[in-house]
Amino acid sequence: MGHQRDPGQAARVLMADKGRYVGTAVLNFKLDRRQRLWDQVQGLTGAPPPKGLAKEKAEWLRPELVGRVKFLKGEEMLRLVSLKDFKET
């Protein structure tokens, strides 16, 4: 899992599964929950990006945080994704 924050845009959570990029989730949490997530993320940055993906502004996390997402089923890549919850492993 990784994250990307650009000024003027919604924060995005980049999702990977077994070292492979699978899609981007929009982060629609309220401010307090979003802050709790960012606080947890700060100590986990520094992992290499998934194979075949280089997003210059993205920060990848060590696999200690797991996200639960809602997405459009039946696709190889995650589509129309929103992050519902997260937990430490």
Side-chain angles (χ1 to χ4, degrees):
M1 198 159 100
H3 68 91
Q4 187 170 355
R5 298 171 86 178
D6 294 321
Q9 294 185 6
R12 294 178 301 284
V13 178
L14 308 172
M15 308 298 290
D17 185 29
K18 299 176 185 156
R20 184 177 72 88
Y21 173 75
V22 293
T24 301
V26 174
L27 188 59
N28 292 322
F29 292 163
K30 291 185 178 182
L31 184 59
D32 61 330
R33 196 161 179 217
R34 185 180 316 158
Q35 188 60 50
R36 194 180 85 196
L37 174 60
W38 292 135
D39 290 345
Q40 285 185 281
V41 162
Q42 296 310 307
L44 300 176
T45 59
K51 294 177 184 175
L53 181 71
K55 288 195 176 250
E56 293 177 19
K57 297 179 183 179
E59 289 188 277
W60 290 94
L61 311 177
R62 295 187 307 274
E64 298 171 24
L65 198 61
V66 175
R68 185 174 61 87
V69 297
K70 181 178 178 181
F71 61 96
L72 181 64
K73 295 184 181 191
E75 301 288 331
E76 183 176 321
M77 297 288 284
L78 295 177
R79 290 190 41 208
L80 302 174
V81 185
S82 60
L83 184 64
K84 294 298 178 190
D85 200 7
F86 59 92
K87 66 178 180 175
E88 290 189 42
T89 57

